[in-house]
Amino acid sequence: MSEGIKLRILQKAIELFNERGFESVSMRDIAEELNISPGNLTYHFRKKTDILNGIISLLMEEHNKMNYKPEITLTEFDSILVQVEEHQKRYSFYYKNIIEFKNKYPEISQLQKDYKIEFITIITKTFCYLEQNGWVKPEKRERQYEDLSIAILAIAAFGNQIDRNRDMREVIWSMIYPVLTEEGIKEYQTLIRRLDTSD
């Protein structure tokens, strides 16, 4: 029962933080929206930062369930971009304040650092796998695909803050397209046609 109400509190807090922003929502606001007393809320989460930590745990749990692996096709890579996009929408308040949270909360800063290393490593290995299978060209200079992975991470994390009207998946594909081989371009075009017919 206690875990059930904790999850309800976290889900309602995510909803409110996404709508109004983290700083604009008080503990009282969350309690009122849930139709519970402030005392009942603080029984489960003493401070708003405790709620934030609970949300970060949920966020990381979801991220871990995505189970990224480097041995994938371009179509599977696009599916990962879709998952990342959906994840960011679910936790939009976090991604809008990603730098602020990093600077304010050391534990979040460490999680972000670990995630960054993991993401760059997996995407770099993915490019190596795609190269071995003839979908992307060999690197023209050392660490080219590691650098491209860093750029993809930056677009994935901050792209919507730069231009909310742009589809960040399209931006990422624009960065990848120049390194595709003829085989890679064929698969990419098949992927685009499939996406066009599913709309």
Side-chain angles (χ1 to χ4, degrees), residues 153-193:
L153 173 62
I155 294 295
F158 302 108
N160 286 325
Q161 293 178 41
I162 298 163
D163 187 347
R164 289 184 191 175
N165 298 318
R166 289 295 304 276
D167 181 341
M168 287 307 122
R169 261 167 74 216
E170 281 182 20
V171 174
I172 290 169
W173 276 115
S174 293
M175 293 164 58
I176 295 170
Y177 192 86
V179 301
L180 295 178
T181 60
E182 283 184 29
E183 270 312 302
I185 289 169
K186 278 182 200 167
E187 188 178 341
Y188 172 74
Q189 287 169 341
T190 304
L191 166 66
I192 294 304
R193 280 195 294 275

Side-chain angles (χ1 to χ4, degrees), residues 20-148:
R20 304 181 202 170
F22 179 73
E23 295 298 339
S24 302
V25 176
S26 67
M27 293 287 278
R28 185 171 292 281
D29 292 332
I30 298 167
E32 282 174 8
E33 285 286 330
L34 286 164
N35 212 16
I36 61 174
S37 69
N40 194 356
L41 177 63
T42 55
Y43 173 78
H44 298 286
F45 296 98
R46 284 183 51 240
K47 310 181 296 292
K48 197 162 77 164
T49 49
D50 295 334
I51 292 178
L52 178 61
N53 287 330
I55 291 170
I56 299 298
S57 294
L58 279 182
L59 184 153
M60 293 310 293
E61 199 177 297
E62 277 188 33
H63 162 70
N64 292 334
K65 280 181 187 168
M66 289 182 199
N67 198 21
Y68 303 128
K69 63 185 194 304
E71 300 82 11
I72 56 173
T73 64
L74 291 174
T75 302
E76 289 168 326
F77 181 79
D78 187 67
S79 296
I80 289 172
L81 294 181
V82 171
Q83 288 178 53
V84 168
E85 208 169 55
E86 288 168 355
H87 190 255
Q88 287 185 335
K89 282 178 189 165
R90 260 194 307 283
Y91 299 96
S92 62
F93 84 93
Y94 170 77
Y95 288 98
K96 283 176 191 165
N97 297 283
I98 199 164
I99 298 294
E100 188 182 327
F101 288 143
K102 172 186 173 284
N103 294 336
K104 219 169 178 180
Y105 306 108
E107 64 278 13
I108 292 177
S109 177
Q110 188 56 51
L111 280 172
Q112 287 181 4
K113 190 176 177 185
D114 295 343
Y115 174 77
K116 178 180 75 176
I117 293 165
E118 181 191 352
F119 183 96
I120 291 167
T121 302
I122 288 174
I123 300 301
T124 304
K125 284 181 179 176
T126 299
F127 279 117
C128 291
Y129 179 79
L130 294 172
E131 182 188 327
Q132 287 163 17
N133 285 277
W135 289 311
V136 300
K137 299 169 186 173
E139 291 182 309
K140 288 192 174 175
R141 60 177 183 74
E142 195 179 349
R143 298 176 76 174
Q144 178 185 356
Y145 288 135
E146 184 180 334
D147 292 345
L148 184 53

